[in-house]
Amino acid sequence: MSSESQRKSTNSSQNNTNINTTLIPSPPSSPVLHSSSAPPTLFESLKIIFLSSWINVLLIFVPLGYIAFGLKWSNTSVFVLNFLAIIPLAKLLGFATEDISLRVGQTIGGLLNATFGNAVELIVSIIALKEGQIRVVQASILGSIISNLLLVLGMCFVAGGFYYKKQYFNMTAAQTSSSLMALACIGLIIPAAFISSVETPEIVQTGSDHTSELLNLSHGTAIVLLIIYILYLLFQLKTHTHLYQDEGVIEDDEQPQLTLIVSFLLLAAVTVAVAFSAEYLVGSIEGIVETSGLSKTFVGLILLPIVGNAAEHVTAVTVAMKNKMDLAINVAAGSSMQIALFVSPLLVILGWIIGQQMTLFFRTFETIVLFISVLITNYLIQDGESNWLEGAMLLATYVIIALAFFFYPNHNE
């Protein structure tokens, strides 16, 4: 009896243990996301922001650029100081966007990066468009595309080739980007072909104007390009994400460094600062052209893209030296594609809204330059491999184009 009662007691205790184990939930095996550490204080946040990149030493030029404009210094001083000021602001804009992207997931983060990735170029172009400097806007668009395709990508191939004999990247994703760039190139070539075909000597003598037809063509083409860009985002972020998993994804162990409120405040503050610096920069272009003898095309096509793409240059070259060519290709070619499919048609539509005659018509020389840039880039990335010689080819092409636009006469504008 005693052994039977002991056995019943043991079974009863085991059953109670099982019931308690079932009813009482076990403690979570992992802590709640981002709750393991206290959020950074305001001082710590500022320290993280200013120490995020060595480029931030150039932030001293932001107040200097404002002072130069307020005290009416020479146009050269205003241009140079605000030129240098926008470089670290572009880097901070990217830092804030990436920090927010870590919190909202890959899909929304991709949309944020797509929206703010070329925010500096967009702000500069909108201000120039508002002031009616159509040639500067068009040259800036073309320059951003060319500098990303030739200068940034060429530096990536050279820098990576210095450490690795041959580098590989996702050929399918790269070819998708290059094909979309070819489509954007077609969207810019057709208006030039349209004008060259309708402006026969007989029509020119009669004084016929085809501005309305060109504007309508540009507006329709801009809408089509924007639709293609939306479809590309759907392709990249929804239906074919496996092709881009290794391309703009942040490291798994990387955590947000700032609180969400601080990240949004930084994004807003930097955007406002870029807007003021860009306005002063664009306002000094006329004086720079008159005093230096440079053409507006050279300023817009060579100098302005360096401002907006400086942070991307550093990022792309850095990841290329780490043999992360998928990310380097995404930064360089992807940024070019965003300019061609998103920024340029958006500016055409904005010009349509505010009454500025912004079109997709580029002069024959500029159209040929764009076609050559897209053509050589497509040739060099179609095999999914890169080396330093291919980078040297891209850089050589860019230098030749820069020399051509340096000697481009002002009277042709």
PDB file of all heavy atoms in Angstrom, residues 63-79 81 284:
ATOM      1  N   PRO A  63      27.770  76.905 -42.597  1.00  0.00           N
ATOM      2  CA  PRO A  63      27.555  78.298 -42.175  1.00  0.00           C
ATOM      3  C   PRO A  63      28.370  79.291 -42.988  1.00  0.00           C
ATOM      4  O   PRO A  63      27.920  80.426 -43.212  1.00  0.00           O
ATOM      5  CB  PRO A  63      27.988  78.297 -40.703  1.00  0.00           C
ATOM      6  CG  PRO A  63      28.878  77.123 -40.553  1.00  0.00           C
ATOM      7  CD  PRO A  63      28.369  76.103 -41.504  1.00  0.00           C
ATOM      8  N   LEU A  64      29.560  78.897 -43.424  1.00  0.00           N
ATOM      9  CA  LEU A  64      30.373  79.803 -44.238  1.00  0.00           C
ATOM     10  C   LEU A  64      29.675  80.126 -45.559  1.00  0.00           C
ATOM     11  O   LEU A  64      29.742  81.266 -46.045  1.00  0.00           O
ATOM     12  CB  LEU A  64      31.746  79.184 -44.508  1.00  0.00           C
ATOM     13  CG  LEU A  64      32.699  79.090 -43.311  1.00  0.00           C
ATOM     14  CD1 LEU A  64      34.001  78.399 -43.717  1.00  0.00           C
ATOM     15  CD2 LEU A  64      33.000  80.485 -42.753  1.00  0.00           C
ATOM     16  N   GLY A  65      29.007  79.126 -46.139  1.00  0.00           N
ATOM     17  CA  GLY A  65      28.268  79.372 -47.379  1.00  0.00           C
ATOM     18  C   GLY A  65      27.114  80.331 -47.167  1.00  0.00           C
ATOM     19  O   GLY A  65      26.855  81.208 -48.007  1.00  0.00           O
ATOM     20  N   TYR A  66      26.419  80.204 -46.031  1.00  0.00           N
ATOM     21  CA  TYR A  66      25.333  81.124 -45.720  1.00  0.00           C
ATOM     22  C   TYR A  66      25.866  82.541 -45.497  1.00  0.00           C
ATOM     23  O   TYR A  66      25.262  83.529 -45.933  1.00  0.00           O
ATOM     24  CB  TYR A  66      24.574  80.653 -44.483  1.00  0.00           C
ATOM     25  CG  TYR A  66      23.892  79.314 -44.646  1.00  0.00           C
ATOM     26  CD1 TYR A  66      23.413  78.615 -43.538  1.00  0.00           C
ATOM     27  CD2 TYR A  66      23.710  78.736 -45.899  1.00  0.00           C
ATOM     28  CE1 TYR A  66      22.776  77.377 -43.676  1.00  0.00           C
ATOM     29  CE2 TYR A  66      23.092  77.513 -46.045  1.00  0.00           C
ATOM     30  CZ  TYR A  66      22.625  76.838 -44.933  1.00  0.00           C
ATOM     31  OH  TYR A  66      22.003  75.628 -45.079  1.00  0.00           O
ATOM     32  N   ILE A  67      26.982  82.621 -44.791  1.00  0.00           N
ATOM     33  CA  ILE A  67      27.587  83.936 -44.525  1.00  0.00           C
ATOM     34  C   ILE A  67      28.020  84.601 -45.825  1.00  0.00           C
ATOM     35  O   ILE A  67      27.814  85.805 -46.027  1.00  0.00           O
ATOM     36  CB  ILE A  67      28.777  83.788 -43.558  1.00  0.00           C
ATOM     37  CG1 ILE A  67      28.282  83.348 -42.173  1.00  0.00           C
ATOM     38  CG2 ILE A  67      29.559  85.088 -43.451  1.00  0.00           C
ATOM     39  CD1 ILE A  67      29.396  82.994 -41.213  1.00  0.00           C
ATOM     40  N   ALA A  68      28.623  83.820 -46.709  1.00  0.00           N
ATOM     41  CA  ALA A  68      29.083  84.371 -47.989  1.00  0.00           C
ATOM     42  C   ALA A  68      27.925  84.950 -48.783  1.00  0.00           C
ATOM     43  O   ALA A  68      28.048  86.019 -49.405  1.00  0.00           O
ATOM     44  CB  ALA A  68      29.790  83.280 -48.791  1.00  0.00           C
ATOM     45  N   PHE A  69      26.780  84.263 -48.757  1.00  0.00           N
ATOM     46  CA  PHE A  69      25.612  84.773 -49.475  1.00  0.00           C
ATOM     47  C   PHE A  69      25.041  86.001 -48.777  1.00  0.00           C
ATOM     48  O   PHE A  69      24.690  86.995 -49.434  1.00  0.00           O
ATOM     49  CB  PHE A  69      24.546  83.680 -49.576  1.00  0.00           C
ATOM     50  CG  PHE A  69      23.271  84.139 -50.225  1.00  0.00           C
ATOM     51  CD1 PHE A  69      23.160  84.222 -51.603  1.00  0.00           C
ATOM     52  CD2 PHE A  69      22.175  84.504 -49.452  1.00  0.00           C
ATOM     53  CE1 PHE A  69      21.991  84.644 -52.197  1.00  0.00           C
ATOM     54  CE2 PHE A  69      20.991  84.930 -50.040  1.00  0.00           C
ATOM     55  CZ  PHE A  69      20.908  84.996 -51.417  1.00  0.00           C
ATOM     56  N   GLY A  70      24.946  85.952 -47.443  1.00  0.00           N
ATOM     57  CA  GLY A  70      24.366  87.070 -46.700  1.00  0.00           C
ATOM     58  C   GLY A  70      25.182  88.344 -46.805  1.00  0.00           C
ATOM     59  O   GLY A  70      24.625  89.444 -46.879  1.00  0.00           O
ATOM     60  N   LEU A  71      26.517  88.217 -46.821  1.00  0.00           N
ATOM     61  CA  LEU A  71      27.399  89.386 -46.902  1.00  0.00           C
ATOM     62  C   LEU A  71      27.730  89.754 -48.339  1.00  0.00           C
ATOM     63  O   LEU A  71      28.561  90.633 -48.574  1.00  0.00           O
ATOM     64  CB  LEU A  71      28.691  89.111 -46.122  1.00  0.00           C
ATOM     65  CG  LEU A  71      28.519  88.867 -44.614  1.00  0.00           C
ATOM     66  CD1 LEU A  71      29.880  88.624 -43.956  1.00  0.00           C
ATOM     67  CD2 LEU A  71      27.816  90.048 -43.956  1.00  0.00           C
ATOM     68  N   LYS A  72      27.105  89.034 -49.292  1.00  0.00           N
ATOM     69  CA  LYS A  72      27.266  89.332 -50.723  1.00  0.00           C
ATOM     70  C   LYS A  72      28.733  89.285 -51.147  1.00  0.00           C
ATOM     71  O   LYS A  72      29.265  90.214 -51.764  1.00  0.00           O
ATOM     72  CB  LYS A  72      26.647  90.703 -51.073  1.00  0.00           C
ATOM     73  CG  LYS A  72      25.161  90.782 -50.787  1.00  0.00           C
ATOM     74  CD  LYS A  72      24.548  92.057 -51.306  1.00  0.00           C
ATOM     75  CE  LYS A  72      23.080  92.151 -50.959  1.00  0.00           C
ATOM     76  NZ  LYS A  72      22.297  91.018 -51.474  1.00  0.00           N
ATOM     77  N   TRP A  73      29.388  88.192 -50.800  1.00  0.00           N
ATOM     78  CA  TRP A  73      30.737  87.970 -51.290  1.00  0.00           C
ATOM     79  C   TRP A  73      30.687  87.683 -52.788  1.00  0.00           C
ATOM     80  O   TRP A  73      29.617  87.653 -53.395  1.00  0.00           O
ATOM     81  CB  TRP A  73      31.391  86.810 -50.545  1.00  0.00           C
ATOM     82  CG  TRP A  73      31.668  87.103 -49.096  1.00  0.00           C
ATOM     83  CD1 TRP A  73      31.411  88.273 -48.434  1.00  0.00           C
ATOM     84  CD2 TRP A  73      32.231  86.220 -48.130  1.00  0.00           C
ATOM     85  NE1 TRP A  73      31.775  88.168 -47.112  1.00  0.00           N
ATOM     86  CE2 TRP A  73      32.290  86.921 -46.893  1.00  0.00           C
ATOM     87  CE3 TRP A  73      32.687  84.902 -48.165  1.00  0.00           C
ATOM     88  CZ2 TRP A  73      32.795  86.340 -45.741  1.00  0.00           C
ATOM     89  CZ3 TRP A  73      33.193  84.322 -47.015  1.00  0.00           C
ATOM     90  CH2 TRP A  73      33.250  85.032 -45.811  1.00  0.00           C
ATOM     91  N   SER A  74      31.836  87.466 -53.392  1.00  0.00           N
ATOM     92  CA  SER A  74      31.888  87.223 -54.831  1.00  0.00           C
ATOM     93  C   SER A  74      31.150  85.929 -55.176  1.00  0.00           C
ATOM     94  O   SER A  74      31.002  85.027 -54.344  1.00  0.00           O
ATOM     95  CB  SER A  74      33.340  87.119 -55.300  1.00  0.00           C
ATOM     96  OG  SER A  74      33.974  85.979 -54.737  1.00  0.00           O
ATOM     97  N   ASN A  75      30.683  85.856 -56.419  1.00  0.00           N
ATOM     98  CA  ASN A  75      29.974  84.670 -56.870  1.00  0.00           C
ATOM     99  C   ASN A  75      30.846  83.414 -56.765  1.00  0.00           C
ATOM    100  O   ASN A  75      30.355  82.325 -56.460  1.00  0.00           O
ATOM    101  CB  ASN A  75      29.515  84.848 -58.322  1.00  0.00           C
ATOM    102  CG  ASN A  75      28.368  85.823 -58.446  1.00  0.00           C
ATOM    103  OD1 ASN A  75      27.411  85.762 -57.682  1.00  0.00           O
ATOM    104  ND2 ASN A  75      28.445  86.737 -59.407  1.00  0.00           N
ATOM    105  N   THR A  76      32.143  83.591 -57.001  1.00  0.00           N
ATOM    106  CA  THR A  76      33.051  82.445 -56.890  1.00  0.00           C
ATOM    107  C   THR A  76      33.089  81.911 -55.466  1.00  0.00           C
ATOM    108  O   THR A  76      33.034  80.695 -55.235  1.00  0.00           O
ATOM    109  CB  THR A  76      34.467  82.854 -57.341  1.00  0.00           C
ATOM    110  OG1 THR A  76      34.417  83.350 -58.679  1.00  0.00           O
ATOM    111  CG2 THR A  76      35.402  81.661 -57.275  1.00  0.00           C
ATOM    112  N   SER A  77      33.165  82.814 -54.485  1.00  0.00           N
ATOM    113  CA  SER A  77      33.196  82.401 -53.078  1.00  0.00           C
ATOM    114  C   SER A  77      31.893  81.710 -52.676  1.00  0.00           C
ATOM    115  O   SER A  77      31.904  80.671 -52.009  1.00  0.00           O
ATOM    116  CB  SER A  77      33.442  83.617 -52.176  1.00  0.00           C
ATOM    117  OG  SER A  77      34.669  84.231 -52.475  1.00  0.00           O
ATOM    118  N   VAL A  78      30.766  82.289 -53.089  1.00  0.00           N
ATOM    119  CA  VAL A  78      29.462  81.697 -52.763  1.00  0.00           C
ATOM    120  C   VAL A  78      29.337  80.313 -53.381  1.00  0.00           C
ATOM    121  O   VAL A  78      28.899  79.352 -52.733  1.00  0.00           O
ATOM    122  CB  VAL A  78      28.317  82.610 -53.247  1.00  0.00           C
ATOM    123  CG1 VAL A  78      26.970  81.942 -53.043  1.00  0.00           C
ATOM    124  CG2 VAL A  78      28.357  83.941 -52.507  1.00  0.00           C
ATOM    125  N   PHE A  79      29.759  80.186 -54.640  1.00  0.00           N
ATOM    126  CA  PHE A  79      29.655  78.905 -55.335  1.00  0.00           C
ATOM    127  C   PHE A  79      30.540  77.850 -54.671  1.00  0.00           C
ATOM    128  O   PHE A  79      30.083  76.734 -54.379  1.00  0.00           O
ATOM    129  CB  PHE A  79      30.053  79.076 -56.809  1.00  0.00           C
ATOM    130  CG  PHE A  79      29.922  77.824 -57.627  1.00  0.00           C
ATOM    131  CD1 PHE A  79      28.725  77.509 -58.257  1.00  0.00           C
ATOM    132  CD2 PHE A  79      30.990  76.948 -57.770  1.00  0.00           C
ATOM    133  CE1 PHE A  79      28.596  76.353 -59.007  1.00  0.00           C
ATOM    134  CE2 PHE A  79      30.875  75.791 -58.523  1.00  0.00           C
ATOM    135  CZ  PHE A  79      29.677  75.505 -59.140  1.00  0.00           C
ATOM    136  N   LEU A  81      31.974  77.723 -51.606  1.00  0.00           N
ATOM    137  CA  LEU A  81      31.631  77.389 -50.217  1.00  0.00           C
ATOM    138  C   LEU A  81      30.373  76.531 -50.142  1.00  0.00           C
ATOM    139  O   LEU A  81      30.322  75.547 -49.389  1.00  0.00           O
ATOM    140  CB  LEU A  81      31.454  78.674 -49.398  1.00  0.00           C
ATOM    141  CG  LEU A  81      32.736  79.480 -49.138  1.00  0.00           C
ATOM    142  CD1 LEU A  81      32.419  80.790 -48.436  1.00  0.00           C
ATOM    143  CD2 LEU A  81      33.713  78.662 -48.308  1.00  0.00           C
ATOM    144  N   SER A 284      24.495  81.578 -57.867  1.00  0.00           N
ATOM    145  CA  SER A 284      25.824  82.091 -58.214  1.00  0.00           C
ATOM    146  C   SER A 284      26.333  81.562 -59.547  1.00  0.00           C
ATOM    147  O   SER A 284      27.417  81.958 -59.995  1.00  0.00           O
ATOM    148  CB  SER A 284      26.827  81.726 -57.109  1.00  0.00           C
ATOM    149  OG  SER A 284      26.959  80.320 -57.001  1.00  0.00           O
TER     150      SER A 284
END
